[in-house]
Amino acid sequence: MADATRPGAAGDVAEIGIDPAALADNDLLRELTSLYRTRLDTLRYGPDAALSNHLRRTGELEREYLARRPGREVDPSRLTQDF
């Protein structure tokens, strides 16, 4: 059995996910959608390790999205205050 905690081990994808830079745009959006859909359940019912992994993965995917779309669409009417 492979050691899933060792880099390059067979379990890496299941443990940490595919490198966001390697995802096609539609796959990146699908992954983000899935994380957002499961966010509340993970926060409320997941063990600390699951919540930590969820936060890490969400950050990775969101950083990749922003890197690909630095001029992303922003709806000015959604801003409720000056930042």
Side-chain angles (χ1 to χ4, degrees), residues 1-19:
M1 179 185 228
D3 179 359
T5 61
R6 192 181 77 249
D12 277 355
V13 171
E15 293 294 320
I16 62 172
I18 296 171
D19 179 1

Side-chain angles (χ1 to χ4, degrees), residues 25-51:
D25 285 348
N26 60 329
D27 293 329
L28 178 63
L29 290 173
R30 186 190 68 240
E31 290 293 312
L32 281 166
T33 299
S34 176
L35 283 170
Y36 298 147
R37 187 178 54 250
T38 60
R39 177 69 182 146
L40 185 57
D41 282 346
T42 304
L43 177 63
R44 292 182 69 194
Y45 309 116
D48 289 346
L51 181 57

Side-chain angles (χ1 to χ4, degrees), residues 39 42-43 46-59:
R39 177 69 182 146
T42 304
L43 177 63
D48 289 346
L51 181 57
S52 177
N53 188 57
H54 203 280
L55 289 166
R56 178 196 54 76
R57 186 65 174 162
T58 301

